[in-house]
Each structure stands twice: as C-alpha cells, then as structure tokens.
Amino acid sequence: MKTEHKTDLPLPKPRETNPEIIAAEIIERLTYGIGKDAKVATPHDWLTATILVVRDRIIDRWMESTRGTYKSNSKRVYYLSLEFLIGRLMRDAMSNLGLVEDIRAALVTLGVDIDVIAGLEPDAALGNGGLGRLAACFMESMATVNIPAYGYGIRYVHGLFRQQMADGWQVELPETWLAHGNPWEFERRESSYEVGFGGTVETVVNGSEDARYLWKPSERVIATAYDTPIVGWRGERVNTLRLWSAQPIDPILLDAFNAGDHIGALRESNKAESLTRVLYPADATSAGQELRLRQEYFFCSASLQDILRRHIQQGNTLAMLPDKVAIQLNDTHPAVSVVELMRLLCDVHGVDFDEAWEITRKTFSYTNHTLLPEALESWPVPLFERLLPRHMQLAYAINAKILLYARKDRQLQDAAIRHISLIDENGGRRVRMGNLAFVGSHSINGVSALHTELMKETVFADLHKLYPDRINNKTNGITPRRWLMQCNPQLTGLIREAIGDAFLDDTEQLRSLDALADDPSFQEKFAAVKRANKERLSNLVTSRMGIRLDPSALFDIQIKRIHEYKRQLLNIIETVALYDEMRSHPERDWVPRVKLFAGKAAPSYHNAKLIIKLANDVARVINNDPSVRGLLKVVFIPNYNVSLAETMVPAADLSEQISTAGMEASGTGNMKLALNGALTIGTLDGANVEMRDHVGEDNIVIFGLTADEVAKVRSDGHNPRAVIEESRELSQALSAIASGVFSPDDRSRFSELIEGIYEHDWFMVAADFDAYARAQRQVDAIWSDPVSWYSKTIRNTARMSWFSSDRTIRQYASEIWGA
C-alpha cells in the first residue's frame, strides 16, 4: 500500500537566536526534558539540555529538507559505510548553524562555561581511522552542497575500543559512549526489517514460468533504525545518518528461563546484539570471521530493504531505480550489497535475472580505499554458502556471466580469467568481495591520482582490461568547517581579519592568503596563533600524562592508525638516531623537538602493538635522560579519536606523512595538518603527490623512493643488510633497539621486529632511512629561519583549498551519481 506524504503542510516558524530566549529554552529543557532544577544540575545535565535546544533548531530544517526531497522526487544518494567517525556533534552543529556565540552568551547568563560542557560530550564510537572520518566529512559536505543523501551504517555499542597504556603496552577496553544515551539520535521503530542467515533455498516452479528461488533462513534478527541529523554549512540542508541496531525476534526463551536455564534463555538475544556491539571484531578465528560477515550482511540487507521501500513508496518502478537512487559502497565491506540487491529484485520482486543485473550495476558505484590484499576482503566459500546460501548461488551465476563474457567476447586467457573470477581458487576457495564490488558497479574510483593508476596496474589490472571505462579518480577531501573553522577558531579569526569572510562559503578564496605569506606582520600573528594552539596541546599532555612540553620547540606529529606501511617505525628509529647524535655532539645547535605520536593498533596486529610499545620505551629513556637537556621529547598520547585530533592538528609544526610509496591510498590527515599551517615531510605516496603540486615543491619536504622505485627494488631483490651496514646512524640505532637498550627488562623484546628489517625490509624502512634523516635535517634548517618557515606554512594553508570534501562531493555528484 502506498503511503501518501503531504508536502504542503505548514512549516514551523524559524526559532529565535536571541541569547535570552535560548537561555530560557535551555532552562525549559533542563526542567521538563531532563527533570532537573538548575540549582542541582550537573555539567552533564547542562550539556544534554543545550544539545536538545540545538537539536530543536536542526529538526525544523531537517523536516524541511526531507519534505523538499519527497516533493521533488529527486535522486537520492545512499552512502554505505561500515564506519562513520563523526566525533562530537554539538560544536559542529552549532558552528554550521551559526549559533556558537549565541549559545555561549546564553550559557554565560546561566553560569555555565560552554567549553567545559562541550568537552564532556563523548565521541561517537562509530569508526577507526581515515575511512570513517572521510565518510563523516562526505556526509557533511553532501548536506552543504545540497545533495539529498542518507548515510547507512551500524550503531556500534562499544565501537572499536578505548585505548589505554599499561607499562607502554596497548590495552583495549570497551567504549561506553552510549552508556547514558545519545540525545542526537531518534529511534525509528517503523523502519525495522528482518534479516536472515543460514537455512536452505527452495526451487519453486509454476507451470511454464521460469523457476523461482525461495530462501528460507534458519535464523532471523530485527534491524531497527536510529537516525541522526547531519547539518550542512549554514543549515541550508540537513541529511540523515541512519544506523542499524540488531534485536532478537524473541528477546527471551521463557520455557528455558522457567526451567532454570537463565543464561541459555538469553542466547538468541546475545547472538543478535553481538552483531552491533563491536567494530571490526578480531577475525583470527573462524568465529570472528563469521561475525564480521554477519555484520556486513546485516547492515547491507537492512539498508537495501529500506532503500527499496522508500523508492517504491514514492510510486517509482524498480526499472527506475538507477534514475532515482545512487548507492555508493565505501570500500569493500558493503560489497555483499551487490548480491543482496540481486536477491531482493529477483526473489522478492520477481525481476528477471538479466534485467536485475542491469539495474544493480547502474545503481551501485564502488570506492576502493586500499591496495593491501588483506583489506580486499574475501570469505571462505563454505562459510559464505552456509551463512548466505542464496547469495552464494547468485555469486556463482554472476561469475558465470562475467567469465563467459571475458572468454567469448573479450578473448581473455586463463591467467586473466583466474584474476577476474569472483572465486579465488588458490588454496581453499574464497569469494573475492573486491571483485564482486567491481563487476557489480558502473563506476569504480580511487581516492588519489596515484592510487587510481596503481589500481589499474595491480589489484584490478585484469578487470580494468575487461571494463576499461569504469575506473576513475576522485581525490579525497576534508570538510573545512570541522578541520579549520571549528578546530582552529583563532586561525579562522585571523584569516577573516586578513581577507574577509568569503572563504567561509568558498574555500577557494583561501588562495588570497598567498599575498600575505611574506608579510612580517601577518607572519607574527600566524606564529602567535600556532603558539597558542601548541600551548593548548601542551596543557592537555600535562593533564593527561604528567609530561611537560616546551611550546617553543618544533612539534613533530604523526597521528594515524598504527601500521607497518605507515612507518611509525621509521620515525622512531630516526628519533633514536637523533638521540644518539644529540648525546654525541652537545656542542651543535640542535633544534628543540617534540615527537608526538597517537593512533590505535588492531588488537590482533602483533607488530603494530610492538611498535607502540617501542615508542613508549624510547620515550621513557629519552625523556628521563638529562644529557639531552630537554632538547628532545617523545610522547605517545593514548586513545586517539576525533576530539584529540581537533587539538593536535592545529598544534602541529611538522606533519609526518611517511608511508611506503605505493601503499597509502590517499590520506586525509595530511590535508588537515597542512590546512592548519603544518609543513609536510613525506614520500610521494597517496595524495601527497597532489599536495606537492598544489602547495609547490618549495613548500613541502619530499624524500625517499617513489612507488615505481619501490616496485623495482623489490623485484630486483632488495638487500637491506647491505644498506644497513653502509649507514652508521641506522646501524647503531637498530643495534640499540635490538640489543635491549630501550627494553632492559626484556632485552630481546624488539629483536624480531628489527630482524624483519634486516631480512626483507618489505616496507623500505632501511631503504629510505638515510633520505628521511637528511629530510629531517632540512626541516631543522627551515625551522631555524622563522621567516622562511612561516612563509611556507602560510602558503600551505592558502593552497590547500582544493582539498575540500565539497569539491570531491561535487565531482562524485556530476561524474558518478548524476545527482
């Protein structure tokens, strides 16, 4: 039955922004929404009341945006992502609505400090790193550039994990961001769907009609929607982030409970809820692999059922789906959507297989974020078939269609056929989800120019030959609202004073700062802003870790997920070499430097966790050695998240973007740091290449092997031991680490980690060390000339405007989505 949506209902009157009226509304919310008297209200009560007042103003615009989309029946974009790292929302929403100062003034009259209560808002534990933060930036930019969009993901109860340190080791604890509720979200009970697993597939034949297939799952759970409004700049549009929570069909088995099996009676409830408890459960075990696949299918199935329901409800036919719906797969995790949409079209709605395939392919587009084989997911065929038997049938049917086309129409040979196949035959058969996403999409995009070309040459080389027009590039971007205006209000104020307000609505206007890069007065003000941001970070480090930092030192920052290809290890080894040099040559004029690290390691990634321990062990030794006279400090700040990034990014002098060339898809931390006036030291990897082109070769410090050179060194037979023996500083640093200088309680703790560099050096740590060390001394020389330093960093801020996610989203909209 079609539901009629009345779009001509009267809209509510715009709410007042007068501080006095806002203060009265906060008191009203405190009293009637929370049930507290202002005299006894806690800071958390004031936070919730303030959020509810801000939320009211968002809801008015949210409803207006939704009504407008229904009325126009315009094309919608659906962004499917396993992560949405949205961080805290209150300050973001206030900023985009232009309410920060009015809310601040209102709270002052109530005796409340906005900065204190804003700091109490928990970060939404919905992501891990760059993938999730990109999704959050894209959601905000889609609202900003007026694209009707939904984000679809999972409402994780405990997220990835909360990181603590125990004697320098990473310890994973559950996030508790939902412990006291989430005032931003709205439960949508009417948007609940059954999602099945396991069972059997029956063939149904009706006379002369083609056979139909009926999947009868053996398990079912309920997916219930929770909606969060995402506000665009100036509140012109508000889009929806819809997250799914899993609930059992029967929350308790009363027969078992009454029989005394009180734990067993909750088995189905626990099994369902486990789907949405943790992001990226460890997959080292078969149970962990199964849970990951269940999670991915759960959110994809619920999202697609919701999308089709909305599409049909508006009176559209299924043949019109590509004209009204664009579904973007954010990396490989949602790839099972391809076969799920085929199942829904063929089995539920009775669409012919070939027509369903055409609809599916025209509807989906796929963003690839990695060239690492382990990140291009694949699932054992027995697991996939047991859990999703109908989807396995459809995967085989799609594979047959693709391979016959490759063999008969394109005359591809056996080697290419093996690489194109959705089924990996090496060892035990596995379903290649990256290949499934590729063949099931009309557009496959990389996220930087280099990454896109490498996709064509490596992981998707044969698929690119089969479909040469599908791969395209959409270089990533960041939202300047969060990563300049909100996180760095002092710099924003300085820029407004210098060039006016036009850049607030058009980031390209930042280019006007170029003319001030060599202006002594502006440099002085720019330096003062940077100093204030460094003092803020120093205070945070002191309060959390008891370590005092010198804000006049060079703040050298590497903040990102801990992974060997991101080469935190290279940074630490060079730090050890610098430490040795400082002790050996105290007569030299050393640049005071603070090395700051932050990031999480996957719980099952042994070497990454060992690198964190090494950073903390090195920090303990260096920070307590009086011979360096405070000229070098090392700090690893635990529990890196969006809020910590908002403090660290504006404080950075030097941005470490030193991944092994050819292994980083794009990076967005590089963009955030440069936009906030940090000089980049990096390899020609990911978006660093385009950053160099935009900021200019003189305003970035590039070192090391290129992607082509890395590939050549590997193919020619890399001999890292010989390289190490020729570099005295590298050899001494590795020897110190391996022999236990920094781990006297366990002399062999890091020996295996260092031995990997001697034996294979896959991530080119030894190969790039000397170039990296020279680049760091080049940084010292630039730092020692403040006029040159600030000339370069101001130009970084001025020339990063192209890396706005608004630009990226406009390219997606015009070149992929047709939205």
Side-chain angles (χ1 to χ4, degrees):
M1 186 173 106
K2 181 183 172 185
T3 302
E4 294 293 336
H5 287 270
K6 295 182 179 179
T7 58
D8 55 350
L9 295 175
L11 295 174
K13 292 172 62 178
R15 295 176 186 267
E16 295 283 349
T17 58
N18 183 297
E20 291 183 13
I21 294 174
I22 291 173
E25 290 182 19
I26 291 173
I27 291 295
E28 184 179 5
R29 281 299 196 171
L30 188 69
T31 305
Y32 299 108
I34 302 171
K36 279 290 188 76
D37 189 305
K39 294 180 180 178
V40 295
T42 67
H44 281 95
D45 295 329
W46 288 111
L47 170 65
T48 303
T50 304
I51 287 174
L52 293 176
V53 168
V54 175
R55 194 184 73 173
D56 286 346
R57 284 159 171 75
I58 295 171
I59 289 172
D60 295 339
R61 298 163 188 259
W62 195 12
M63 289 183 174
E64 186 178 349
S65 298
T66 303
R67 287 175 173 180
T69 304
Y70 270 100
K71 188 174 183 178
S72 66
N73 195 18
S74 54
K75 191 170 190 178
R76 290 179 173 91
V77 172
Y78 296 101
Y79 198 82
L80 271 60
S81 178
L82 208 56
E83 297 183 39
F84 286 95
L85 203 56
I86 56 177
R88 294 168 174 162
L89 289 181
M90 186 177 81
R91 198 179 291 274
D92 193 50
M94 290 191 305
S95 177
N96 277 8
L97 291 173
L99 288 174
V100 175
E101 294 310 316
D102 290 321
I103 297 281
R104 184 188 300 276
L107 289 170
V108 166
T109 67
L110 301 172
V112 178
D113 186 334
I114 190 174
D115 295 323
V116 171
I117 65 169
L120 297 174
E121 184 180 6
D123 272 52
L126 299 172
N128 175 26
L131 183 78
R133 188 51 237 171
L134 181 79
C137 285
F138 277 9
M139 286 300 299
E140 194 264 6
S141 279
M142 281 189 273
T144 294
V145 304
N146 199 29
I147 293 175
Y150 271 75
Y152 280 110
I154 293 178
R155 183 179 179 265
Y156 301 104
V157 177
H158 299 300
L160 186 69
F161 58 83
R162 178 164 50 89
Q163 183 191 57
Q164 285 190 358
M165 297 296 160
D167 191 29
W169 290 100
Q170 171 180 288
V171 176
E172 299 97 26
L173 300 172
E175 287 277 10
T176 55
W177 74 289
L178 287 174
H180 302 291
N182 177 11
W184 291 108
E185 69 182 9
F186 295 84
E187 182 181 2
R188 306 298 193 195
R189 296 180 188 178
E190 72 279 8
S191 296
S192 294
Y193 303 92
E194 283 194 10
V195 177
F197 301 98
T200 59
V201 180
E202 294 185 1
T203 304
V204 179
V205 179
N206 292 321
S208 61
E209 294 182 7
D210 290 339
R212 296 279 301 277
Y213 299 92
L214 180 64
W215 178 30
K216 292 190 172 181
S218 57
E219 303 173 46
R220 287 185 174 88
V221 297
I222 300 294
T224 300
Y226 286 78
D227 287 355
T228 299
I230 303 297
V231 187
W233 177 236
R234 300 199 187 280
E236 293 296 322
R237 179 171 195 90
V238 180
N239 281 331
T240 302
L241 174 59
R242 175 159 286 187
L243 304 175
W244 299 105
S245 180
Q247 299 170 358
I249 301 286
D250 296 312
I252 185 170
L253 304 176
L254 277 176
D255 289 350
F257 191 88
N258 291 330
D261 187 6
H262 303 139
I263 304 300
L266 298 173
R267 181 177 62 252
E268 293 304 311
S269 181
N270 289 332
K271 194 170 186 179
E273 291 171 3
S274 69
L275 287 171
T276 54
R277 286 203 175 277
V278 177
L279 167 66
Y280 299 141
D283 58 357
T285 65
S286 57
Q289 290 179 23
E290 179 173 332
L291 180 55
R292 280 211 188 187
L293 180 54
R294 282 176 177 266
Q295 277 188 329
E296 293 175 7
Y297 176 68
F298 164 78
F299 108 85
C300 291
S301 177
S303 302
L304 289 169
Q305 290 182 65
D306 196 46
I307 291 167
L308 290 182
R309 185 267 310 164
R310 187 176 300 107
H311 177 74
I312 294 169
Q313 185 174 285
Q314 284 208 252
N316 299 314
T317 66
L318 290 172
M320 296 167 61
L321 193 69
D323 300 321
K324 297 295 181 182
V325 168
I327 303 176
Q328 188 72 37
L329 305 178
N330 190 31
D331 214 6
T332 315
H333 310 117
V336 72
S337 296
V338 172
V339 281
E340 172 63 0
L341 182 56
M342 286 292 291
R343 183 189 72 83
L344 292 170
L345 292 174
C346 295
D347 299 357
V348 177
H349 295 282
V351 179
D352 170 78
F353 180 90
D354 288 335
E355 182 185 357
W357 181 241
E358 193 67 11
I359 292 170
T360 297
R361 190 186 59 76
K362 289 180 178 178
T363 301
F364 281 115
S365 47
Y366 161 50
T367 300
N368 173 272
H369 284 278
T370 182
L371 301 172
L372 300 179
E374 66 268 23
L376 287 173
E377 288 182 319
S378 65
W379 301 110
V381 166
L383 169 63
F384 198 95
E385 193 159 25
R386 174 171 57 81
L387 211 57
L388 303 170
R390 177 58 179 143
H391 301 77
M392 191 72 254
Q393 290 180 348
L394 287 164
Y396 276 127
I398 293 166
N399 201 40
K401 186 180 183 71
I402 301 301
L403 296 187
L404 286 171
Y405 170 70
R407 176 74 79 187
K408 292 184 176 180
D409 293 36
R410 299 302 300 273
Q411 305 295 309
L412 296 186
Q413 301 305 306
D414 288 349
I417 293 290
R418 283 197 300 272
H419 291 141
I420 289 166
S421 176
L422 304 187
I423 309 300
D424 185 355
E425 300 280 355
N426 295 320
R429 288 190 174 93
R430 300 178 71 89
V431 183
R432 292 169 165 153
M433 304 308 284
N435 286 24
L436 178 61
F438 192 110
V439 300
S441 300
H442 69 276
S443 167
I444 296 87
N445 72 279
V447 289
S448 73
L450 175 63
H451 168 239
T452 300
E453 291 308 306
L454 290 174
M455 279 171 55
K456 296 175 182 178
E457 298 168 6
T458 58
V459 290
F460 293 135
D462 290 298
L463 279 165
H464 176 56
K465 291 174 186 173
L466 187 63
Y467 302 111
D469 299 327
R470 291 194 187 179
I471 294 180
N472 60 91
N473 179 55
K474 299 291 174 284
T475 299
N476 282 345
I478 58 173
T479 167
R481 273 77 59 182
R482 170 80 74 154
W483 295 110
L484 178 62
M485 301 174 202
Q486 184 187 324
C487 78
N488 204 340
Q490 285 184 276
L491 181 56
T492 303
L494 175 61
I495 296 171
R496 294 177 72 179
E497 176 189 309
I499 65 171
D501 290 352
F503 78 96
L504 299 176
D505 298 292
D506 178 8
T507 315
E508 283 295 323
Q509 299 302 316
L510 282 172
R511 294 284 306 198
S512 301
L513 281 179
D514 243 5
L516 298 171
D518 297 317
D519 181 87
S521 175
F522 188 78
Q523 284 194 357
E524 184 178 345
K525 294 175 182 177
F526 193 88
V529 168
K530 181 64 73 174
R531 169 78 185 214
N533 288 325
K534 290 165 72 174
E535 288 174 353
R536 185 160 67 106
L537 176 58
S538 298
N539 292 336
L540 181 147
V541 170
T542 300
S543 65
R544 289 192 188 180
M545 306 180 69
I547 299 172
R548 298 182 67 84
L549 304 181
D550 178 8
S552 65
L554 188 156
F555 276 26
D556 178 347
I557 291 183
Q558 189 172 17
I559 41 177
K560 50 186 78 245
R561 180 167 53 94
I562 310 299
H563 197 291
E564 287 168 283
Y565 87 82
K566 293 179 183 287
R567 298 203 296 191
Q568 286 92 352
L569 184 56
L570 174 61
N571 192 347
I572 296 167
I573 293 169
E574 197 278 331
T575 301
V576 170
L578 178 60
Y579 170 60
D580 287 341
E581 282 280 289
M582 282 182 164
R583 290 188 301 169
S584 300
H585 297 282
E587 78 284 358
R588 293 180 184 171
D589 189 15
W590 295 104
V591 168
R593 190 183 284 246
V594 178
K595 289 273 191 175
L596 291 142
F597 298 87
K600 296 178 180 179
S604 58
Y605 192 170
H606 173 73
N607 276 4
K609 296 175 84 167
L610 202 58
I611 288 168
I612 292 176
K613 174 59 174 170
L614 175 59
N616 283 311
D617 281 356
V618 168
R620 188 190 67 252
V621 171
I622 292 177
N623 296 349
N624 290 288
D625 188 341
S627 69
V628 297
R629 298 163 291 150
L631 291 172
L632 180 63
K633 285 201 172 178
V634 181
V635 180
F636 192 105
I637 308 177
N639 205 38
Y640 183 57
N641 57 18
V642 176
S643 295
L644 180 55
E646 289 172 345
T647 301
M648 297 187 75
V649 165
D653 291 310
L654 186 66
S655 165
E656 297 270 357
Q657 308 299 329
I658 59 175
S659 54
T660 309
M663 301 194 75
E664 183 73 83
S666 170
T668 52
N670 47 3
M671 302 171 192
K672 294 161 194 162
L673 289 154
L675 179 63
N676 282 270
L679 188 69
T680 300
I681 182 171
T683 52
L684 284 176
D685 196 24
N688 289 356
V689 179
E690 288 148 285
M691 281 176 56
R692 177 201 60 180
D693 295 341
H694 281 268
V695 304
E697 291 185 358
D698 293 339
N699 303 308
I700 189 170
V701 178
I702 297 295
F703 74 93
L705 300 173
T706 65
D708 287 343
E709 289 167 343
V710 167
K712 187 174 189 307
V713 167
R714 286 173 176 165
S715 64
D716 289 350
H718 182 30
N719 183 1
R721 193 173 295 274
V723 172
I724 293 167
E725 289 172 356
E726 290 179 5
S727 172
R728 185 185 69 171
E729 299 305 328
L730 174 59
S731 178
Q732 289 181 355
L734 293 178
S735 177
I737 295 168
S739 64
V741 168
F742 299 96
S743 54
D745 56 324
D746 182 358
R747 296 284 183 184
S748 61
R749 177 179 296 147
F750 304 113
S751 58
E752 188 175 327
L753 185 68
I754 301 305
E755 187 61 25
I757 299 175
Y758 276 93
E759 291 300 321
H760 56 79
D761 191 31
W762 181 253
F763 299 100
M764 301 290 139
V765 171
D768 272 348
F769 177 84
D770 283 348
Y772 178 55
R774 287 193 299 272
Q776 287 287 16
R777 302 296 73 79
Q778 182 185 346
V779 168
D780 287 345
I782 302 169
W783 176 262
S784 299
D785 180 359
V787 171
S788 175
W789 181 272
Y790 288 110
S791 173
K792 294 177 186 297
T793 54
I794 291 167
R795 285 192 168 89
N796 269 267
T797 297
R799 298 177 182 181
M800 286 301 295
S801 56
W802 187 80
F803 295 92
S804 165
S805 49
D806 297 351
R807 182 268 313 159
T808 313
I809 287 300
R810 288 190 178 103
Q811 289 180 334
Y812 274 94
S814 64
E815 299 171 20
I816 296 178
W817 302 331

